[in-house]
Amino acid sequence: MEIHVAGRIADADRGPAREACSIERAFSLVGTRSAVLLLREAAYGTRRFDDFVRRTGLTEAVVAGRLRELVSAGVLATEPYQDEGKRTRQAYVLTDSGRELLPVLVALGAWGQVHLPRRGASLTHQGCGALVLSDLTCEKGHDVSDGDIVASA
Amino acid sequence: MEIHVAGRIADADRGPAREACSIERAFSLVGTRSAVLLLREAAYGTRRFDDFVRRTGLTEAVVAGRLRELVSAGVLATEPYQDEGKRTRQAYVLTDSGRELLPVLVALGAWGQVHLPRRGASLTHQGCGALVLSDLTCEKGHDVSDGDIVASA
């Protein structure tokens, strides 16, 4: 796969144009270890603050701050719940927008499985047990994994 | 898409098993803003140290350190080049392993285009001009974008 640069950002030295890049914008929102771990746990079904803390090994302060950030970014949403005789608390669940981020995490994990082999979790297709891979297509349904991509602005 | 947790990591509170997760391993290697910007530039065809510095806006020290790290991780490789009457220098090019990371960046950018809309670069399929999207398949070729994924260890 080759990425060709076109339009405004083809002027390679116009930093600002490159900084408008959607890759960088998205990374600035979800590109922290704590965001990745929290999104991974949310994808695994974790919903409660204490469980996020215990299952990520992050501090309560980091989890609280990052969850707030992910909620305000619309990636997570809060849902009130109440345990018997306890006060109402907030659970955190992936929004549609958050779900649409999972392919990014899975693509990253799929790469890690191949290039950073080590005993650990692997992601497989429930239907057939084969390893999950990431692929690139276009809105018209063409496979662009081996095709050419144009980055333009 | 749902991710189901199975095996060793289904015991949600066994942090170490979760930390073996290939998503986290890969993120720890390439999950820094500087790594993302340098890989983006490499994908755009940037090869020379000075160009990486100018086009990312990162400091020379950060670029030098991160390029070294990406080379030792096998994501970038060095290629000597020599300008007329200058000493030999190293150019940096994506390896096959580095190329296989591009779907992760494109998936991240595709998400950003939809969920963080702002004027900026967009990634389209050269063949037809349609927006590039990321998809998940399995080794057997099944589409798992809407399918179920099992994370196990």
Side-chain angles (χ1 to χ4, degrees):
Chain A
M1 181 179 76
E2 293 291 335
I3 298 184
H4 305 278
V5 187
R8 201 156 46 88
I9 63 169
D11 175 353
D13 299 331
R14 287 191 45 199
R18 294 236 180 171
E19 279 166 29
C21 166
S22 59
I23 295 169
E24 181 170 8
R25 295 208 311 280
F27 188 80
S28 67
L29 175 64
V30 296
T32 60
R33 178 169 176 273
S34 55
V36 167
L37 294 184
L38 290 168
L39 290 171
R40 181 196 69 190
E41 286 306 318
Y44 285 178
T46 298
R47 298 164 52 87
R48 297 180 173 203
F49 181 82
D50 294 346
D51 292 334
F52 280 113
V53 171
R54 199 167 56 252
R55 296 171 186 177
T56 59
L58 300 168
T59 67
E60 290 195 357
V62 167
V63 170
R66 192 65 66 195
L67 285 175
R68 203 160 35 236
E69 201 177 286
L70 293 172
V71 167
S72 66
V75 171
L76 293 178
T78 55
E79 275 182 8
Y81 71 92
Q82 188 163 23
D83 287 337
E84 186 71 26
K86 293 273 180 70
R87 66 174 177 79
T88 301
R89 295 163 163 268
Q90 298 299 324
Y92 298 85
V93 296
L94 287 169
T95 60
D96 290 345
S97 165
R99 266 178 202 296
E100 289 167 29
L101 259 178
L102 297 185
V104 179
L105 297 190
V106 173
L108 185 62
W111 182 85
Q113 283 172 18
V114 174
H115 296 284
L116 307 171
R118 196 208 293 175
R119 187 154 157 276
S122 67
L123 300 165
T124 53
H125 180 201
Q126 186 172 44
C128 71
L131 268 188
V132 171
L133 307 170
S134 74
D135 241 343
L136 294 174
T137 58
C138 76
E139 278 183 321
K140 292 185 183 168
H142 304 127
D143 177 8
V144 294
S145 299
D146 304 317
D148 287 347
I149 292 175
V150 179
S152 62
Chain B
M1 181 179 78
E2 293 293 333
I3 298 184
H4 305 279
V5 187
R8 202 157 44 92
I9 62 170
D11 175 354
D13 299 332
R14 286 191 45 197
R18 295 237 179 168
E19 280 166 29
C21 166
S22 59
I23 295 169
E24 181 170 8
R25 295 207 312 277
F27 187 81
S28 67
L29 175 63
V30 296
T32 60
R33 178 169 175 272
S34 55
V36 167
L37 294 184
L38 291 168
L39 289 170
R40 182 197 68 192
E41 286 305 319
Y44 284 177
T46 298
R47 298 165 51 89
R48 296 179 174 207
F49 181 81
D50 294 346
D51 292 334
F52 279 113
V53 170
R54 200 168 53 251
R55 296 172 187 178
T56 59
L58 300 167
T59 67
E60 291 196 355
V62 167
V63 171
R66 193 65 67 194
L67 285 175
R68 203 162 34 235
E69 201 177 287
L70 293 172
V71 167
S72 67
V75 171
L76 293 177
T78 55
E79 275 182 7
Y81 72 92
Q82 187 162 24
D83 288 336
E84 186 70 27
K86 295 272 179 69
R87 67 174 176 79
T88 300
R89 293 164 165 269
Q90 298 297 325
Y92 298 85
V93 296
L94 287 170
T95 61
D96 289 344
S97 165
R99 267 177 201 296
E100 289 168 28
L101 260 177
L102 297 185
V104 179
L105 296 190
V106 171
L108 186 62
W111 182 85
Q113 284 172 16
V114 174
H115 296 284
L116 306 171
R118 197 207 293 176
R119 187 153 157 277
S122 67
L123 300 165
T124 53
H125 180 201
Q126 186 171 44
C128 70
L131 269 189
V132 171
L133 307 170
S134 78
D135 241 345
L136 295 174
T137 58
C138 75
E139 278 184 321
K140 291 185 183 167
H142 304 128
D143 176 8
V144 295
S145 299
D146 304 316
D148 287 346
I149 292 175
V150 179
S152 62

